[in-house]
C-alpha cells in the first residue's frame, strides 16, 4: 500500500475555507476510491472514480464535497466551506481494475477544521 | 447506520497465544468479507478475505470463519506475534460492488511479550 500517495498528510483549515486532498494511485491503477473515517468510527465509502469519470458517488455529501480524477495528475477530493464536522481522516485507495480486485490504501490525510 | 459491528474495541493477548477477533453484520446482501490491519499513521492493509460460498479461509497464521446464518465472522491469529499489534478492521460488501466496503470501527490488538 506504500504505492498510493496522499498529500498532505495533515491539513488544518479554518471554518469556511476550502480543503483540497490529493491522491496519486499506484502505478498502473486507474480506479480510485475515497473513504472517510470519523473519530471512533470505521471507514465509510464516499466515491469511486475512474479516469475522468465518477462511477459511484453515493457516499458523498450532496453539498460542499466534490471529487475528480483527471486524465493527467492525481485524484482530488475538494471540500468547500469546511465545517468542524468535516474533521476526519480521509483515505484514498486504488486498484488496477474495478470490481473484483483488491484495493490498496494510502496513508490518509488527517483534516482538522478549527 | 452501522452495518458492520466490532463490539470489542480492544484485545490484549500473550505472545504465542491465539487472538480471536469478532465481527457482526446486519445487511443480508453482503457476500464478501475482508479483514484489514492498520498501523498508526498508515493506511489499512488487506489481510484476508472470504466470500459467502465458503465458511473458512486460511492464510498462514490467519484464518477467517464465516457463519452466514448468524451473520458473524471471526479472525483467528495463531500464534500471535508482537508485530501483530495493530488495529484490525472487519469490512463487508456485495461482491458485485466490492469497492463499496462497509467497515467496522476496529479492534485494537496488543500482543504482550
Amino acid at each position: 500500500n506504500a504505492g498510493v500517495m496522499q498529500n498532505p498528510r495533515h491539513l488544518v483549515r479554518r471554518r469556511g475555507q476550502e480543503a483540497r486532498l490529493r491522491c496519486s494511485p499506484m502505478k498502473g491503477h486507474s480506479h480510485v476510491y475515497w473513504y472517510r473515517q470519523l473519530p471512533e468510527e470505521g471507514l465509510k465509502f464516499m466515491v469511486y472514480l475512474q479516469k475522468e469519470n465518477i462511477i459511484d458517488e453515493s457516499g458523498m455529501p450532496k453539498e460542499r464535497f466534490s471529487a475528480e480524477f483527471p486524465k493527467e495528475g492525481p485524484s482530488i477530493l475538494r471540500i468547500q466551506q469546511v465545517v468542524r464536522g468535516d474533521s476526519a481522516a480521509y483515505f484514498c485507495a486504488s486498484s488496477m481494475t474495478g470490481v473484483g480486485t483488491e484495493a490498496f490504501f494510502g496513508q490518509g490525510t488527517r483534516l482538522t477544521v478549527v | 447506520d452501522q452495518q458492520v459491528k466490532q463490539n470489542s474495541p480492544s484485545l490484549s493477548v500473550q505472545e504465542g497465544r491465539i487472538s480471536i477477533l469478532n465481527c457482526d453484520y446486519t445487511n443480508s446482501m453482503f457476500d464478501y468479507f475482508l479483514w484489514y490491519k492498520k498501523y498508526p499513521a498508515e493506511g489499512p492493509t488487506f489481510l484476508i478475505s472470504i466470500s459467502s460460498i465458503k465458511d473458512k479461509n486460511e492464510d498462514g497464521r490467519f484464518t477467517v470463519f464465516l457463519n452466514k446464518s448468524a451473520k458473524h465472522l471471526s479472525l483467528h491469529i495463531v500464534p500471535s506475534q508482537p508485530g501483530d499489534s495493530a488495529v484490525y478492521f472487519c469490512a463487508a460488501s456485495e461482491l458485485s460492488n466490492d469497492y463499496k466496503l462497509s467497515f467496522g470501527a476496529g479492534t485494537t490488538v496488543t500482543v504482550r511479550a
Side-chain angles (χ1 to χ4, degrees):
Chain A
N1 64 348
V4 179
M5 302 302 294
Q6 289 188 249
N7 67 82
R9 294 292 307 280
H10 300 275
L11 182 61
V12 179
R13 283 287 176 266
R14 295 185 188 281
R15 280 177 295 169
Q17 289 185 320
E18 179 178 288
R20 279 184 181 239
L21 289 63
R22 286 177 291 276
C23 170
S24 296
M26 283 181 72
K27 189 175 181 181
H29 287 191
S30 60
H31 299 252
V32 165
Y33 319 88
W34 285 92
Y35 281 78
R36 175 167 69 172
Q37 184 183 20
L38 295 170
E40 309 299 323
E41 295 186 15
L43 284 74
K44 286 187 166 45
F45 168 78
M46 299 181 76
V47 62
Y48 165 26
L49 309 108
Q50 289 182 37
K51 286 284 187 183
E52 300 184 278
N53 286 307
I54 296 175
I55 306 302
D56 183 344
E57 57 182 346
S58 58
M60 287 269 275
K62 293 288 184 282
E63 297 179 355
R64 301 188 298 108
F65 285 72
S66 63
E68 63 176 8
F69 188 17
K71 189 176 179 183
E72 301 290 338
S75 175
I76 307 285
L77 180 67
R78 183 181 176 206
I79 312 172
Q80 295 178 291
Q81 298 171 340
V82 296
V83 301
R84 287 224 169 101
D86 296 333
S87 296
Y90 292 82
F91 291 95
C92 166
S94 74
S95 68
M96 191 173 298
T97 61
V99 170
T101 62
E102 174 192 321
F104 294 85
F105 281 85
Q107 294 173 300
T109 294
R110 183 160 297 279
L111 172 66
T112 303
V113 180
V114 297
Chain B
D1 71 1
Q2 197 72 7
Q3 299 187 78
V4 177
K5 295 180 183 177
Q6 294 176 255
N7 291 319
S8 298
S10 63
L11 172 70
S12 180
V13 64
Q14 190 87 31
E15 182 179 2
R17 306 294 288 267
I18 185 170
S19 295
I20 299 176
L21 291 80
N22 293 302
C23 177
D24 297 291
Y25 62 96
T26 57
N27 188 340
S28 57
M29 298 298 291
F30 287 153
D31 54 9
Y32 186 53
F33 306 89
L34 308 90
W35 285 93
Y36 284 85
K37 177 179 179 178
K38 184 181 179 304
Y39 292 119
E42 293 186 13
T45 302
F46 169 78
L47 202 53
I48 192 168
S49 65
I50 188 168
S51 72
S52 59
I53 60 172
K54 291 186 170 184
D55 54 20
K56 177 182 174 182
N57 188 26
E58 194 171 349
D59 183 1
R61 296 185 298 115
F62 302 92
T63 303
V64 55
F65 295 92
L66 175 62
N67 182 334
K68 288 187 290 292
S69 60
K71 294 193 179 69
H72 177 84
L73 63 156
S74 62
L75 174 69
H76 292 207
I77 307 172
V78 55
S80 299
Q81 299 175 353
D84 296 332
S85 296
V87 179
Y88 289 79
F89 291 100
C90 170
S93 71
E94 296 176 41
L95 199 56
S96 56
N97 288 310
D98 65 355
Y99 59 85
K100 210 166 180 177
L101 295 167
S102 293
F103 280 81
T107 296
T108 300
V109 172
T110 303
V111 179
R112 308 186 308 271

